[in-house]
Amino acid sequence: GAFSPSQTFNDIWGFIMHQALLVPYFAWQFSHAKHHKRTNHLTDGESHVPTTGEEYGLIDGKRTGSYSLMHEAMGDGAFAGFQVFSHCVLGWPLYLMGLASTGRVAHDGTFLAEGEIIDHFRPSSKMFPAKISAKIAASTVGVVATIA
């Protein structure tokens, strides 16, 4: 482990510390490991899945989407500030809920159906194998208890 040679100690400490961040520890632990295994893979990545040019609004070398047009209108500096804010304040919670930048592939390698989401809170989320569903549930209960 990164913090201690004891995986049990790492899990206890990680679970406690992640509550302050409102991040479900075991779900994050699983998805973060997957992220490092497949970072920026076009289809199988877990987070920061690269946007295709078409999804970004770039068609035939011209910016046509609202996001790319906003970049052009704001300029690089202001747009970079906007991205930092939007990623940290909006994107992170949306990512945890499975509504932004999640992978397109379930834990078993099958592609998700159109509109299907994989989130960090449901033990039945296709992001996780069934064998860790109790840990996912414990993480979710921890976050909910922290909020309450």
Side-chain angles (χ1 to χ4, degrees), residues 24-87:
Y25 172 69
F26 291 109
W28 175 85
Q29 181 186 49
F30 182 86
S31 67
H32 197 97
K34 184 178 176 188
H35 159 73
H36 279 278
K37 184 177 178 184
R38 301 177 179 141
T39 300
N40 291 332
H41 188 283
L42 287 176
T43 57
D44 203 17
E46 162 26 39
S47 64
H48 313 298
V49 178
T51 306
T52 65
E54 187 175 302
E55 290 170 334
Y56 186 66
L58 189 64
I59 298 173
D60 294 330
K62 296 180 183 178
R63 293 179 176 173
T64 60
S66 58
Y67 198 68
S68 60
L69 292 172
M70 192 166 65
H71 181 174
E72 196 169 290
M74 293 173 78
D76 288 340
F79 189 73
F82 167 76
Q83 282 192 306
V84 168
F85 173 81
S86 64
H87 282 85

Side-chain angles (χ1 to χ4, degrees), residues 107-118:
H107 72 87
D108 61 2
T110 60
F111 282 93
L112 300 175
E114 184 69 31
E116 191 171 20
I117 64 168
I118 52 175

Side-chain angles (χ1 to χ4, degrees), residues 86 89-102:
S86 64
V89 176
L90 303 172
W92 178 245
L94 290 173
Y95 161 70
L96 290 175
M97 291 184 286
L99 302 174
S101 190
T102 57

